[in-house]
């Protein structure tokens, strides 16, 4: 689908009907993605646009900064004066405010639908340790399994911790290892032993099964939701 430009509100023609057309075409594409239970990057893209709309609504300086630069750096001072006149134009401000008042609820409604899908996927995912979990669990493997499917995706994960002056943040990096077709007698415990024999760099890896009762696109939905759930799980049980 075609992404919505980050400066869609202030670029090109500032006209309510024109912007409405652009917005509804974008949201129609988003709905088509949601209908196939595909959440990313569409959900995070909408969060960006919605927050941007709210910021512009509250702060005219943000509105001023959001107008695209179309001239050279040497003309920046003249450009600033020009944009200031545009932003201070009552007609344009009224048009932009009308667009924002229409667009914000549209984004909010679609975001609510995306959140409902996300929570539904979460509610239908379980995370289980495979074998004995070592004390060092910041890196390891997880099996991504969807109900009724024989193929299992294997990922390596690594937890990172970022700190600033006030807070500590956790992040998780994943990399695809391989896809395995499970058969009779090929348990997840035996798959873990196969990984240990095949990939020597993790001799005693923490390993988890992430099982989804809902069948959905892996990269667009299941993997990003699973990563967030694994982060929460590791923070809770260890």
């Amino acid at each position: 689908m075609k992404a919505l430009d980050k400066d869609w509100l202030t670029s090109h023609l500032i006209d309510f009907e024109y912007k409405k057309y652009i917005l509804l075409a974008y949201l129609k594409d988003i709905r088509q993605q949601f209908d196939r239970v595909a959440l990313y990057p569409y959900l995070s893209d909408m969060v960006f646009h919605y927050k941007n709309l709210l910021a512009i609504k509250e702060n005219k300086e943000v509105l001023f900064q959001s107008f695209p630069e179309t001239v050279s750096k040497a003309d920046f001072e003249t450009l600033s004066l020009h944009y200031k006149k545009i932003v201070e134009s009552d007609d344009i401000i009224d048009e932009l405010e009308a667009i924002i008042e229409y667009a914000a609820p549209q984004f909010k409604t679609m975001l609510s639908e995306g959140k409902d899908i996300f929570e539904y996927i979460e509610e239908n995912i379980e995370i289980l340790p495979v074998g004995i979990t070592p004390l060092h669990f910041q890196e390891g493997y997880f099996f991504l399994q969807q109900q009724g499917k024989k193929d299992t995706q294997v990922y390596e994960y690594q937890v990172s911790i970022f700190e600033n002056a006030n807070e500590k943040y956790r992040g998780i990096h994943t990399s695809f290892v391989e896809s395995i077709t499970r058969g009779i007698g090929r348990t997840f415990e035996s798959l873990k032993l196969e990984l240990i024999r095949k990939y020597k760099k993790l001799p005693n890896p923490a390993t988890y099964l992430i099982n989804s009762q809902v069948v959905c696109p892996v990269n667009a939905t299941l993997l990003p939701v699973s990563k967030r759930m694994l982060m929460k799980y590791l923070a809770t049980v260890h």
Side-chain angles (χ1 to χ4, degrees), residues 24 126 162 198 200 231 238:
L24 292 181
E126 62 176 348
F162 309 92
K198 193 182 296 185
K200 307 293 185 182
M231 281 288 297
H238 295 293

Side-chain angles (χ1 to χ4, degrees), residues 66-88:
S66 70
F67 276 91
E69 294 181 18
T70 56
V71 297
S72 67
K73 190 174 181 180
D75 295 324
F76 181 74
E77 204 169 308
T78 304
L79 174 71
S80 297
L81 293 173
H82 173 64
Y83 283 162
K84 189 173 182 181
K85 288 178 182 177
I86 292 177
V87 172
E88 290 177 350

